[in-house]
């Protein structure tokens, strides 16, 4: 009978186990994607795949303007510049202004711009402490700009009849569009199917219109170049001017194909419409036919209302009439000092706009400025009474 050797069997079993382990280690691959995913790590992506995930692969180089987002304290609008699949610049075209908003925006906007560039095409920006509403509006406008970048609807897109990608250069002038506050006419230069320049040949002028157009028209020009079409956003506080600008811009874009194909005409520029007639001499007598506030249909001039004493100081209004319509309204005097400075700064521009829009003295009081509004209305009516007399 053969003797068993337990110790020998143990040694053989151990050797077999060690050999098996060595064999498994030798055959195991150097990386284990399945194990990495199970551990919460993503498999390595190619640079193209990473760009696609961030929206960079679909984004085109150019400048893209986001939608205007209305916040509780004012509008926010963001523009980004994309180059090589990255945001190289971010800026706010519009931001809340006035009073405390100036300080908040001055602190928050630069930080948000930096965050936008750092976050890139697929990132989001964190709210800046103390500027929650501004930050939220910035984020929304930024996202709309990035959406346009992904769609390729930036400076590089022709769109809107902008020449159909023709390589020639043309300068065309849109039709003159009459708005409630004056004529608007736009001229654009198109090269290679892109709008390279936009400018206003005519725009509403006089009184408050100078301030409004001075703020709105440069922004509209920038938007036209950035969008490459007439599909641009209205500027807050300049609704009529914006609407007239868009109509004239579209008419210019409609003329581009013909202008670019007409080699014999040089630039293809249409002749600018004649400038509007000069304003009527201040204080001139009214003609005949009733118009707003007692003025006459053929009349014009500048009339200053009576000084109205309010609880917080005097209010006096001056209006300009053209063909019997109020084309400008301004406050010669307004309550000043302390809190009155802020109230007047907020209320007077609104009252001026209401007067021009209404065309008479029947305007609404501005919230928080009851006394100033009442004084404004009385002085406005006295100015209109003078025009009617």
């Amino acid at each position: 009978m053969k003797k068993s050797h337990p110790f020998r069997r143990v040694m053989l079993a151990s050797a077999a186990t060690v050999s098996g382990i060595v064999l498994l280690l030798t055959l195991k691959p150097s990386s284990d994607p399945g194990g990495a995913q199970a551990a919460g790590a993503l498999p390595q992506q190619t640079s193209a795949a990473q760009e696609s995930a961030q929206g960079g692969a679909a984004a085109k180089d150019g400048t893209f303007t986001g939608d205007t987002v209305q916040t509780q304290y004012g509008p926010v609008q963001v523009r980004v510049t994309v180059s090589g699949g990255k945001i190289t610049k971010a800026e706010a075209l519009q931001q809340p202004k006035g009073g405390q908003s100036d300080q908040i925006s001055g602190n928050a906007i630069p930080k948000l711009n930096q965050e936008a560039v750092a976050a890139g095409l697929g990132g989001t920006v964190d709210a800046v402490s103390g500027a929650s509403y501004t930050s939220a509006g910035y984020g929304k406008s930024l996202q709309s700009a990035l959406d346009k970048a992904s769609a390729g609807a930036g400076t590089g897109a022709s769109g809107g009849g902008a020449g159909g990608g023709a390589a020639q250069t043309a300068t065309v002038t849109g039709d003159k569009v009459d708005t409630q506050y004056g004529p608007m006419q736009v001229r654009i230069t198109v090269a290679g199917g892109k709008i390279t320049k936009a400018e206003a040949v005519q725009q509403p002028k006089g009184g408050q219109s100078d301030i409004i157009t001075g703020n709105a028209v440069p922004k509209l020009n920038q938007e036209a170049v950035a969008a490459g079409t007439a599909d641009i956003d209205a500027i807050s506080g300049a609704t009529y001017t914006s609407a007239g600008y868009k109509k004239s811009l579209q008419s210019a874009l409609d003329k581009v194909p013909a202008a670019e194909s007409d080699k014999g005409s040089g630039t293809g520029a249409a002749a600018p419409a004649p400038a509007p007639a000069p304003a009527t001499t201040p204080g001139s007598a009214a003609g005949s036919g009733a118009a707003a506030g007692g003025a006459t249909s053929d009349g014009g001039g500048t009339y200053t209302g009576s000084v109205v004493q309010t609880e917080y100081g005097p209010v006096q209004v001056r209006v300009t009439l053209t063909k019997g319509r109020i084309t400008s309204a301004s406050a010669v005097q307004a309550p000043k000092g302390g809190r009155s400075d802020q109230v007047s700064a907020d209320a007077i521009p609104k009252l001026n706009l209401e007067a021009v829009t209404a065309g008479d003295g029947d305007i609404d009081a501005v919230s928080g400025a009851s006394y100033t509004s009442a004084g404004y209305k009385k002085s406005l009516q006295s100015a209109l009474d003078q025009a009617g007399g």
Side-chain angles (χ1 to χ4, degrees):
M1 183 175 177
K2 194 174 182 179
K3 293 182 180 181
S4 62
H5 299 281
F7 181 75
R8 184 181 178 184
R9 286 199 301 270
V10 170
M11 291 297 294
L12 290 172
S14 298
T17 301
V18 171
S19 299
I21 292 173
V22 171
L23 180 61
L24 288 173
L25 290 174
T26 303
L27 295 175
K28 186 175 181 179
S30 58
S31 62
D32 187 356
Q37 290 181 26
L42 291 174
Q44 185 178 3
Q45 295 176 319
T46 64
S47 59
Q50 290 172 345
E51 288 180 356
S52 179
Q54 296 176 354
K60 293 185 178 181
D61 290 353
T63 301
F64 306 88
T65 302
D67 298 334
T68 300
V69 177
Q70 296 295 335
T71 75
Q72 186 169 334
Y73 299 102
V76 179
Q77 187 177 32
V78 179
R79 172 186 291 154
V80 295
T81 299
V82 178
S83 179
K86 299 177 182 179
I87 297 177
T88 57
K89 183 180 179 182
E91 57 186 323
L93 300 182
Q94 296 187 64
Q95 61 194 51
K97 293 182 180 180
Q100 185 71 11
S101 291
D102 289 336
Q103 183 177 347
I104 294 174
S105 294
N107 173 60
I109 294 298
K111 295 179 180 179
L112 292 166
N113 290 338
Q114 291 176 344
E115 282 192 37
V117 173
L121 296 172
T124 57
V125 294
D126 295 326
V128 174
S129 178
S132 301
Y133 291 97
T134 298
S135 299
Y138 187 102
K140 289 182 180 179
S141 184
L142 171 62
Q143 187 57 57
S144 71
L146 294 177
D147 290 343
K148 293 176 182 178
S150 297
T155 311
S158 58
Q168 294 169 320
T169 299
T171 300
V172 291
T173 303
D175 298 335
K176 183 181 74 170
V177 177
D178 290 319
T179 74
Q180 186 167 339
Y181 302 105
M184 174 59 69
Q185 188 175 31
V186 179
R187 176 186 292 151
I188 59 172
T189 299
V190 177
K194 302 175 185 177
I195 299 177
T196 57
K197 182 179 179 182
E199 57 185 323
V201 179
Q202 295 188 61
Q203 61 192 47
K205 293 182 179 180
Q208 185 70 11
S209 291
D210 289 337
I211 299 175
I212 294 173
T213 55
N215 172 61
V217 169
K219 295 178 181 178
L220 291 166
N221 291 338
Q222 291 175 342
E223 282 194 35
V225 173
T229 73
D231 186 18
I232 58 178
D233 295 324
I235 302 299
S236 177
T239 304
Y240 292 99
T241 297
S242 299
Y245 187 103
K246 291 174 67 174
K247 287 182 181 179
S248 184
L249 172 59
Q250 185 59 60
S251 72
L253 289 170
D254 291 342
K255 299 175 183 179
V256 169
E260 287 187 329
S261 63
D262 185 4
K263 297 180 181 179
S265 63
T267 62
T280 310
T281 304
S284 61
S288 60
T296 55
S297 60
D298 294 328
T302 300
Y303 306 88
T304 302
S306 304
V307 177
V308 178
Q309 295 294 335
T310 74
E311 186 171 334
Y312 299 100
V315 179
Q316 187 177 29
V317 179
R318 176 180 292 149
V319 295
T320 299
L321 301 178
T322 302
K323 294 183 178 180
R325 298 183 62 181
I326 299 177
T327 55
S328 174
S330 59
V332 179
Q333 297 186 62
K336 295 182 179 180
R339 176 70 175 167
S340 292
D341 288 337
Q342 185 176 348
V343 174
S344 295
D346 173 65
I348 294 298
K350 295 178 181 178
L351 291 166
N352 291 338
L353 287 173
E354 281 194 40
V356 175
T357 302
D360 56 30
D362 186 16
I363 59 177
D364 295 325
V366 174
S367 177
S370 302
Y371 291 98
T372 299
S373 299
Y376 186 102
K377 290 175 67 175
K378 288 182 180 179
S379 184
L380 171 61
Q381 188 58 58
S382 72
L384 292 174
D385 291 342
Q386 293 177 39

